[in-house]
Amino acid sequence: MLKLNPINFALLICVSIFSISSSFAVSDLQKMSDQELSDMTGQALMSLSYLAPTDSANPMRNISGSNNIGFYKLGLEAELSLNANIKNLQLGCGGRNGQGDCDIDIKNLSLSGLPDSYDSSGNPVFNNGRASTSASLTNPFIEFAISNPDKASTRQVTGLRLSAEKISALLTAGIDNGTAPSKTDGIQSLSGFMQIAATSGTAYTQQAMFGKSSTQSIGGMANLCVALLIGDCLGYRGTVHIQSDPSSSDTTGITVPSVAANFNIPAFTLRGTRQKAANLMGIPALLQNIPIASDGSSQYPSSMFSNDQLKVLLDCSNGASSSGGILSCGGLTALKSNAAFKMGAGSAIQNLNLNIDFSQSLSMFHNIPLTGTGGYLSLQSIPLLWPGATISNGDKSLTSLSAMSENTDVAQPGWWMSFAEPVQLGKLNVQQQIVLDDAVLAQVAARVTETLTKDPNSWPSASTSNGFETVGLLFGAPLASKVVADLGTYTKNNPVYVPLSNLQLTNQKVVTNCYGGLKFC
C-alpha cells in the first residue's frame, strides 16, 4: 500500500515521468541506418505540446485582459496504476485565507479501483477487498500556464496543473458515514468544480400525532339531523360549525403514520472556494397518500388509530344554519355545545406537495466514483480556464471570466480540484426520518380546514331518530366521517416547506482501503 502526503501526491507524476526517462538515458544507444529508422513504428513515451495564446483551442484566447496565456503540457503516454491513502490533505492553508482556513482540506482521503458491484443501498462492494485494487490514470500529465510566453523579459508561470486524460477510480473522503457532520473526517473545505448528476432519493416521515397543538386546530362544517319520527329531520336539519379544541383532555390527536417521500434531485454544480456544504433549494416532492385512519391494509390497521379523536366545539358561525326543523342552530348548540370528532375509515391526506430545501455538509459525502473521466488538481495565481475544462454552452461567447455561470469550470486563484464529468452519487436514501414538526403540521391543518369548509362531500354527518330528549346522545359517539383531503390544489402554488439538512445517506458507507481490518492505514 502506497502512502502519500500532499507533496508526494503533487509530485507523483513528475517522479514517474523522470524516473522512466532516466532508465532510458542509461541504456546503451544502438546505431541504426536510415532504412532501419524508416521501418520503425511506435509511440513516444513522453509528449510535449504547446497551446499559443492565439491558438483556436486555447480557452483563454477571447478573454479580455487575459488573452496572453499559453499552455505547456508534458505528458506520459502510459497507464499509471495507483492505490493511495492520504491521512490529511491540506492545500492553501493560512495566508490570504486566514488562520486555520484552507483551499482544500480533506481528512482520510483514499484512491482505489472501482468496485466490482454495488449493494441494494448503493454502497460499493469489492469481492477481494478494496486494497487489492488500483486506480487507473491514463496518460497523466503536468501542465503549465505561462503569461506572455513569447516575451522572455515578462513571461511568468501563472498556473500549474496535475491531471490525466482519463481516470477510472473510486475516490473516498472520510472513514465513517456518521449521522452528523464531522470536523475531523471527510471533506472539510473544497475549492473546486464538481458537477453532480441528477439522481433520486427516498426519505420516510416520522410518525406524528396531529391536532394537539394550538396551531393544529381544524375547523369546518358538519351536517346534522334530529328526527322526531323515524326517517324525518323535523327536530333539526342543517349545518353546524365545528372547531377542534387542542387543549381539551378529551383530544387525543390524530395519528399521522410514517410514509415514504420520494424526491428527484436535478443535476447541480458545486463551484467555489472553500466550500463547506452543498445547498440545493426548492426540490419538489409529492406525498400522494397519508392515511389518517385505517385503510383496511395490514400496514395501517384500525388498531393504529383506535384511540384517535379530537374534541370539537359546536357553534353557528361561518354560515352554519338550519334548513328545516323546529330547533334553530343556536337552540341546538345550547343543548349540546361540544362533541368528539374521529376520522372515518379510509380517511387520508392526499397529494401533499412539498418544497424541500436540501443542505448537506460536504463531510457527509464520501463516495465519488470516477468512471473513466478526467479531473485535475491545480494551483494558479489568477482565474483560469484550463484546456479541456467544462464550459457551459451559454458561456462560450463571453469574454469575461467573472460573468460566466457556475456551470463553467473557472479555476480560481489558489488550489483548485475539478472533475470533468458529472459525479454519480447514486440513489440518495435518507437514513434518518423526516420530522413533520409543528410548522409543517400547522400548514396541513390549514389545508384540511379549507377542505372541511369548502367541500360539502367531506363534511361529517350525524343523525338521531329518538327526538329531543336524546339530542345530548346525538354526540354520544364521536362525529365520524371519511375525510379525503386532496391538498393538491391548495399546495400546488403553496407547498409545505420541509428543510432537510445533514442527513445520513445510506449509500455513502465507506469501504476501508486497508488490509487486516484497519479503517485507515
Side-chain angles (χ1 to χ4, degrees):
M1 176 80 57
L2 177 62
K3 296 183 179 180
L4 300 176
N5 60 34
I7 296 177
N8 294 141
F9 184 72
L11 297 178
L12 176 64
I13 298 175
C14 296
V15 173
S16 300
I17 292 174
F18 291 114
S19 62
I20 293 174
S21 62
S22 298
S23 66
F24 279 90
V26 299
S27 301
D28 294 333
L29 298 178
Q30 301 293 326
K31 184 178 180 180
M32 300 178 68
S33 66
D34 289 343
Q35 183 60 45
E36 289 174 324
L37 288 172
S38 67
D39 292 338
M40 295 295 295
T41 60
Q43 179 178 331
L45 178 62
M46 292 186 294
S47 63
L48 180 64
S49 62
Y50 170 59
L51 277 179
T54 57
D55 196 300
S56 61
N58 190 323
M60 299 290 291
R61 180 169 61 96
N62 297 318
I63 303 301
S64 299
S66 299
N67 55 1
N68 62 338
I69 304 292
F71 294 95
Y72 290 87
K73 179 178 173 182
L74 175 62
L76 179 65
E77 302 298 308
E79 183 175 300
L80 179 66
S81 295
L82 176 66
N83 184 295
N85 290 328
I86 303 176
K87 183 66 176 176
N88 195 10
L89 177 64
Q90 291 185 312
L91 301 170
C93 299
R96 65 179 179 182
N97 292 337
Q99 184 176 2
D101 203 0
C102 303
D103 287 332
I104 296 173
D105 185 358
I106 305 176
K107 315 296 186 187
N108 303 315
L109 180 70
S110 294
L111 186 69
S112 71
L114 287 167
D116 297 297
S117 61
Y118 292 88
D119 65 19
S120 59
S121 296
N123 293 299
V125 174
F126 293 87
N127 295 336
N128 298 311
R130 184 182 176 190
S132 65
T133 68
S134 294
S136 175
L137 284 70
T138 302
N139 299 339
F141 63 83
I142 306 169
E143 190 164 24
F144 298 92
I146 308 293
S147 63
N148 302 312
D150 55 346
K151 296 181 176 62
S153 60
T154 58
R155 67 187 176 199
Q156 67 181 70
V157 178
T158 57
L160 166 70
R161 179 167 74 144
L162 304 174
S163 183
E165 301 294 345
K166 293 182 180 180
I167 303 174
S168 181
L170 176 64
L171 181 70
T172 60
I175 296 175
D176 295 312
N177 185 28
T179 59
S182 173
K183 294 183 179 180
T184 59
D185 192 35
I187 301 173
Q188 304 298 305
S189 178
L190 179 68
S191 296
F193 178 83
M194 180 188 297
Q195 300 172 94
I196 307 297
T199 186
S200 61
T202 299
Y204 285 86
T205 62
Q206 187 178 84
Q207 182 169 306
M209 191 59 70
F210 169 73
K212 300 193 69 174
S213 165
S214 61
T215 61
Q216 298 169 24
S217 176
I218 64 170
M221 306 299 291
N223 291 309
L224 301 181
C225 169
V226 177
L228 296 180
L229 300 172
I230 295 175
D232 68 26
C233 296
L234 296 178
Y236 181 85
R237 177 192 293 117
T239 59
V240 65
H241 181 258
I242 60 175
Q243 187 71 43
S244 67
D245 180 9
S247 64
S248 172
S249 59
D250 292 328
T251 293
T252 58
I254 302 297
T255 299
V256 182
S258 175
V259 296
N262 298 314
F263 54 90
N264 294 310
I265 296 180
F268 67 99
T269 300
L270 288 172
R271 192 195 80 171
T273 56
R274 297 174 293 285
Q275 301 169 101
K276 304 293 193 296
N279 298 302
L280 191 60
M281 306 301 172
I283 303 171
L286 178 66
L287 291 177
Q288 293 183 320
N289 192 73
I290 307 175
I292 50 178
S294 172
D295 63 357
S297 70
S298 58
Q299 186 176 5
Y300 304 110
S302 57
S303 59
M304 179 181 288
F305 310 92
S306 60
N307 296 321
D308 291 4
Q309 73 171 21
L310 302 176
K311 195 67 171 182
V312 292
L313 303 177
L314 311 178
D315 63 73
C316 297
S317 63
N318 297 293
S321 64
S322 171
S323 60
I326 299 173
L327 284 175
S328 66
C329 178
L332 180 69
T333 56
L335 292 173
K336 184 65 175 175
S337 62
N338 59 69
F341 175 79
K342 189 177 181 68
M343 296 291 179
S347 294
I349 299 170
Q350 292 184 342
N351 299 319
L352 178 63
N353 289 282
L354 306 179
N355 185 9
I356 299 174
D357 282 352
F358 185 68
S359 179
Q360 189 82 349
S361 170
L362 294 184
S363 70
M364 301 185 76
F365 288 112
H366 305 293
N367 297 320
I368 304 175
L370 305 174
T371 54
T373 62
Y376 65 85
L377 177 66
S378 66
L379 175 65
Q380 49 278 317
S381 59
I382 61 173
L384 283 177
L385 273 177
W386 287 96
T390 300
I391 302 177
S392 173
N393 289 332
D395 294 339
K396 290 181 177 179
S397 61
L398 298 180
T399 59
S400 170
L401 294 181
S402 62
M404 293 184 175
S405 70
E406 66 175 12
N407 295 316
T408 292
D409 182 12
V410 180
Q412 298 300 310
W415 286 95
W416 190 261
M417 183 178 287
S418 174
F419 302 91
E421 297 295 330
V423 175
Q424 302 286 341
L425 290 178
K427 187 174 178 65
L428 301 180
N429 292 321
V430 178
Q431 183 82 5
Q432 297 132 306
Q433 292 184 323
I434 299 172
V435 176
L436 297 178
D437 60 16
D438 183 73
V440 172
L441 294 178
Q443 293 181 64
V444 174
R447 309 300 187 273
V448 172
T449 294
E450 287 180 284
T451 300
L452 291 177
T453 300
K454 297 179 179 180
D455 183 8
N457 294 322
S458 296
W459 295 353
S461 300
S463 63
T464 179
S465 60
N466 295 323
F468 293 140
E469 70 276 8
T470 57
V471 166
L473 298 178
L474 176 64
F475 306 109
L479 286 168
S481 177
K482 177 181 177 181
V483 179
V484 178
D486 189 336
L487 306 185
T489 300
Y490 301 120
T491 60
K492 182 177 181 180
N493 297 318
N494 186 25
V496 172
Y497 172 63
V498 179
L500 299 180
S501 63
N502 298 329
L503 297 175
Q504 186 182 37
L505 303 174
T506 59
N507 68 334
Q508 293 297 301
K509 179 181 177 182
V510 182
V511 178
T512 180
N513 194 31
C514 302
Y515 291 108
L518 296 175
K519 278 193 171 183
F520 199 83
C521 52

